[in-house]
């Protein structure tokens, strides 16, 4: 029995959303091209400004009902675990 690949295959991309307008346009573009998810990364020092990944996801999630969101990298050792736990459960 063969399952069609298209029924199981999902597409997403990783990006940086460093301000509200970039977030809005990224979510609109992802929905327009039928992506399934948007992923963000995390870094303490990077050539371009990177906001906290959980805050990027929260902001983008408020702009879409159909996309999934995730972090490609989350530097947990750089943060206090209690604050991260509170942020994730909120």
């Amino acid at each position: 029995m063969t399952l069609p690949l298209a029924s199981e295959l999902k597409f997403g991309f990783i990006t940086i959303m460093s301000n509200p307008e970039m977030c809005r346009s990224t979510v609109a573009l992802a929905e327009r091209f039928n992506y399934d998810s948007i992923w963000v990364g995390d870094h303490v020092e990077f050539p371009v400004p990177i906001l906290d990944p959980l805050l990027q996801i929260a902001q983008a999630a408020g702009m879409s009902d159909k996309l999934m969101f995730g972090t490609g990298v989350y530097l947990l050792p750089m943060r206090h675990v209690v604050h991260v736990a509170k942020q994730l459960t909120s």
Side-chain angles (χ1 to χ4, degrees), residues 6-47:
S7 68
E8 301 294 324
L9 195 59
K10 296 189 182 277
F11 290 94
F13 62 91
I14 191 162
T15 187
I16 297 170
M17 298 177 284
S18 58
N19 61 56
E21 183 53 41
M22 183 181 284
C23 182
R24 197 173 0 271
S25 63
T26 301
V27 168
L29 188 68
E31 288 184 340
R32 179 176 167 209
F33 289 108
N34 293 319
Y35 279 93
D36 299 295
S37 60
I38 295 176
W39 295 78
V40 295
D42 188 17
H43 211 288
V44 178
E45 192 165 324
F46 204 65

